[in-house]
Each structure stands twice: as structure tokens, then as C-alpha cells.
Amino acid sequence: MKLNYMKGRFKLSLLLSFILLLLTGCWSSKEIEDLGLIVGTSLDLETDTNSREESEEQEARNSNKELITITNQFVTSETTGSGPKEGKKQQAYKNVSETGDAVLPTLRNMILKNDKRAFAEHSKVIVIGEDFASTFNLKQTMDFFLRELEMRPSALLLIAKNHASNILESNEPSKIPAFQLVEMMKGHKKTTKIIPPMTFAKLEGKLYSEASFLLQSVVSENDEIKFVGAAVIEGKTKKLRGFLTGKELEGITWITGKGKGGLVTSFYEETDQPIIYEIISTKSKIIPHVDGDNISFNVKIESEGRIAEHWVLSEKTFDNKFLKKAEKATEKEVERLVKNVLDKIQHEYQTDVSGFGTRLRIEYPKVWEKVKKDWDQIFSGVPIQCEVNITIKDYGTSGE
């Protein structure tokens, strides 16, 4: 009996010892005071001669190879006020820059000027400068970030007009620009001037295809960050081809039918006064036609919405005649937006960033196999007809 009791106590002791081992804490834990949390990164083409010479001296070589400047935006215990500088007014972030000819060695050189261990699992956004995106193949330069285990698949990719590092600066000490960009991107559900977010999860597929695509563009003007249109990335070169304006981006959104909200400003034909149409829903269908070697497309766009505002005092909002005229005016404006952007992407940029090639591949796979290698060039000469049908379902509570 005593022997069984002793065996029971021994087994219990072993079990408790095993449980205690599991409760000793996280073996891989990292003290927050020792970390520099990377929340945003910018990449720019280095144009400063002094920086170039200094970098080449560090690498013990002399070359005409283009160099890149990487800026990491850190949030640390000091910047958040939880460290030794608590109580003092200071910026909520710290930017650290380094120049080199490849991403990883350049990031490693930041250790020489940063006393915190870089930790990228909280990275929100990468901003690429205009010159950088025009010079380098994005498939090559994004290779490190796509491989890096610490990078989140939800991180965003943006293209900056001019210098990307400017986008990670703010005059307001309490604001963290990387977080601000993420919040701004959420506005794509309410406007056709912001494209759906390009996350790293989506980016890899885009870079490994031959299709051209769009990235949201951003600019820093008068110390304010602002989304302005979109950057056109050419499928073959994976380089920046040019930019679309906000209005041209609206046209793309109507073609693709991906807009979840937004406004259209048209003008009443008889008085030239504005009518503001707010989108409730929209859908688009791209229909390819093949006749021998000739390819053409029809785009059918349908939308339901409401009159959010109008300045036409001579008409009653509830009147069917006025509603029909408002619908026609809105249709005319949408057709203009679509026509203008088609002219630019077909004839100036010669890049299909609106899904015409995808529809051709799905409905005519054999034809697609023949044309896919030169699709952007072929697309530039393809006839496209657009048909728009607007239905006003709501006109608010005013206007009787």
C-alpha cells in the first residue's frame, strides 16, 4: 500500500515538473524596450553624389551601378513615451536611412546607426519612389521582402510621386505616417479615386505574371500626404510606365466594376448646374469579340445610386422627367471618364491595366495563346465600345 502511495507521489511530481517547464515563459520572447518596430519602409533611387561615394567606400569598390536609399520608420519605447524619455514632447516615430546596392546588405548596415534591434513583423506599408520604380524591375527589388518571414502578407505597396522618404515624414509629432497611410487606404470603399489595396499577398502573383497592373500613388504636398491617382506598372519590364490622374482612375474603376462607392459630378444640360450622383452599387461586364484576326470589346456598365446633391432650382427632384435627365447626364459623364482613360492606356501607355486581356483569356483561350506575348501592344489598337446604364433609385428626403 505504501509502495503504491510512493509511486503515485512520484508520478505526480513528474507531472508537476513537466507542467512547470511549460510555464517558465516564452523562450523566444523579446523585450519591447530592446526592439525597434518597423512600421513602414521607403525605397528611393540615390542621386546624391556624396552618399554614393560614401557607400562605395564602405563596400571597397567603385562602380556606376545605381544605388538605393532605404528608410525604415521605427516605433520604439522612447517614441511611444514608455521609455526613459517619457513626458517630453517628441515625434511618435524615428526614421533611419541607409544607402547601398541591394536591399538586405543595406538594411544590415542600419545596425551601425541604430541601437534597437529591427523587428519587421508589424510592418504596415512599403513606399517606392518614382525614380526607383522607373529604374528598377520591381520583381527583383521586392524579392527580399517577399522572402522575408517577418513581413506580413497584409503589408501595402504604394508608389510615391517624387521621393518616397517624404511620405514617411509628418509635421505633427503625434502622427505616425505609416499608420496614416493604412487608414487612408480604407477609403477605397467610399470613392472611385482609390484602388483596392495591393497587399504583398496579391503582389507576388502580379509580379510573376506578364500582365500590367496598377498601384496606388501618393504624394506629399505642403506637408500633407495625399492619394493622387494610380501608378501604371508595365507587365514585361515590371517598371513604372507612368501615372493616371484621379479622374482617369475613376474611369478604370468604372471599367472594372470594382468601385464600392463614390460620386459622379455631372451638369444639368439646360442650366449647366451640378448634379451629384452617389454610387450605391455598380457592375461591369467586358465582352470580347473575335472575328478572324480582329479582336474588339464591348463594355457594359450598370449602376444604381442616389441623387446626393443638386443645384437645379428649376426642377423638382421627385419629378420623373428630371430623374431621367439626371440619369442621362450621369451616363454621359461616366462615358467621358471611360473614353479618356482608354485613350491614355491604349495610345499613350500601351498597357492593359483594366482586365481586357483576362476576359479574352477566359472566353477565347486559343486566341489568347497567340497574342499574350504582345498583348499590351495589340491592345493599343483594339476597338472598344462602352455602354452605360445609370438608375437613380433614391433621391433623399428633400425636393418635394
Side-chain angles (χ1 to χ4, degrees):
M1 187 75 173
K2 188 175 181 180
L3 183 61
N4 290 336
Y5 174 74
M6 294 298 293
K7 285 182 177 179
R9 289 194 65 181
F10 179 69
K11 289 180 179 178
L12 180 61
S13 298
L14 283 177
L15 179 61
L16 289 174
S17 299
F18 180 71
I19 292 173
L20 286 173
L21 285 173
L22 297 177
L23 297 176
T24 54
C26 299
W27 66 270
S28 61
S29 65
K30 303 174 181 67
E31 295 296 332
I32 189 69
E33 291 83 2
D34 299 329
L35 295 179
L37 304 180
I38 299 174
V39 293
T41 301
S42 69
L43 291 89
D44 283 302
L45 182 69
E46 181 53 56
T47 56
D48 183 69
T49 305
N50 294 330
S51 296
R52 174 179 291 278
E53 290 175 354
E54 183 180 334
S55 176
E56 289 173 352
E57 184 179 343
Q58 288 176 357
E59 301 298 334
R61 63 174 180 77
N62 191 358
S63 145
N64 291 323
K65 187 173 182 180
E66 298 288 357
L67 297 179
I68 59 177
T69 294
I70 302 176
T71 300
N72 274 337
Q73 185 158 96
F74 289 94
V75 175
T76 67
S77 58
E78 285 86 358
T79 61
T80 56
S82 59
K85 297 181 181 178
E86 187 173 4
K88 293 183 179 180
K89 288 185 179 180
Q90 56 188 8
Q91 283 187 313
Y93 65 90
K94 176 184 177 182
N95 288 348
V96 179
S97 299
E98 186 60 59
T99 299
D101 61 2
V103 175
L104 183 55
T106 305
L107 291 173
R108 289 288 170 85
N109 283 339
M110 281 189 187
I111 297 173
L112 304 175
K113 58 175 71 173
N114 192 15
D115 62 342
K116 301 291 185 181
R117 183 198 160 186
F119 190 66
E121 286 190 6
H122 295 277
S123 183
K124 304 293 184 184
V125 61
I126 292 181
V127 186
I128 297 177
E130 180 178 349
D131 290 341
F132 183 101
S134 300
T135 304
F136 295 109
N137 182 311
L138 292 185
K139 184 177 178 181
Q140 294 172 319
T141 54
M142 290 294 101
D143 180 77
F144 165 76
F145 296 101
L146 292 171
R147 291 175 184 271
E148 176 54 47
L149 294 176
E150 284 188 0
M151 285 300 299
R152 286 187 173 187
S154 60
L156 303 176
L157 184 65
L158 305 173
I159 300 291
K161 287 194 170 182
N162 299 319
H163 294 290
S165 59
N166 294 342
I167 307 300
L168 297 183
E169 297 286 351
S170 175
N171 281 338
E172 299 183 43
S174 62
K175 281 191 176 181
I176 301 176
F179 292 168
Q180 187 181 354
L181 289 167
V182 173
E183 290 303 311
M184 288 166 59
M185 184 59 75
K186 294 177 181 178
H188 81 275
K189 295 181 179 180
K190 293 189 175 183
T191 178
T192 51
K193 293 183 179 181
I194 301 177
I195 62 176
M198 178 63 73
T199 62
F200 270 66
K202 298 177 185 177
L203 177 66
E204 190 164 11
K206 295 288 187 182
L207 292 178
Y208 281 87
S209 74
E210 292 296 315
S212 301
F213 59 95
L214 295 177
L215 290 173
Q216 182 65 52
S217 59
V218 60
V219 68
S220 178
E221 289 181 344
N222 301 320
D223 299 320
E224 285 187 346
I225 302 171
K226 181 181 179 182
F227 285 156
V228 282
V232 177
I233 307 299
E234 190 175 8
K236 283 188 176 181
T237 64
K238 303 297 185 295
K239 295 180 181 180
L240 176 66
R241 185 72 176 83
F243 290 95
L244 299 180
T245 66
K247 283 292 184 183
E248 289 164 346
L249 181 54
E250 285 187 81
I252 292 288
T253 307
W254 281 102
I255 292 171
T256 60
K258 292 181 179 179
K260 295 184 178 180
L263 306 174
V264 177
T265 301
S266 60
F267 294 89
Y268 196 57
E269 188 174 0
E270 296 173 14
T271 61
D272 202 34
Q273 292 169 317
I275 299 172
I276 314 301
Y277 171 83
E278 184 175 14
I279 300 167
I280 295 174
S281 67
T282 181
K283 59 182 180 180
S284 173
K285 189 173 183 181
I286 297 174
I287 305 169
H289 302 283
V290 176
D291 183 11
D293 293 332
N294 298 319
I295 299 171
S296 61
F297 291 92
N298 281 350
V299 182
K300 292 189 176 182
I301 298 170
E302 295 181 4
S303 176
E304 291 185 351
R306 61 189 291 267
I307 293 180
E309 178 185 357
H310 81 83
W311 289 39
V312 186
L313 298 177
S314 60
E315 300 286 355
K316 294 181 179 180
T317 306
F318 296 167
D319 186 74
N320 282 334
K321 274 188 179 181
F322 171 72
L323 293 177
K324 291 297 179 185
K325 289 179 180 179
E327 288 173 348
K328 292 298 179 186
T330 305
E331 288 170 357
K332 186 176 179 181
E333 176 60 16
V334 173
E335 287 171 0
R336 188 188 70 82
L337 291 171
V338 170
K339 182 180 178 182
N340 285 350
V341 75
L342 283 176
D343 183 60
K344 189 162 191 174
I345 64 175
Q346 281 192 286
H347 305 133
E348 183 177 346
Y349 291 160
Q350 296 185 353
T351 52
D352 174 16
V353 291
S354 44
F356 289 92
T358 300
R359 293 310 308 171
L360 183 65
R361 175 179 58 81
I362 292 171
E363 298 194 29
Y364 294 93
K366 291 183 179 179
V367 174
W368 175 249
E369 286 299 316
K370 295 179 182 179
V371 302
K372 66 179 182 180
K373 288 184 179 180
D374 301 307
W375 173 243
D376 278 344
Q377 185 177 354
I378 293 170
F379 170 72
S380 65
V382 169
I384 300 174
Q385 297 295 324
C386 181
E387 178 184 328
V388 181
N389 185 15
I390 299 292
T391 303
I392 295 174
K393 303 288 287 186
D394 182 14
Y395 32 75
T397 58
S398 176
E400 187 174 0

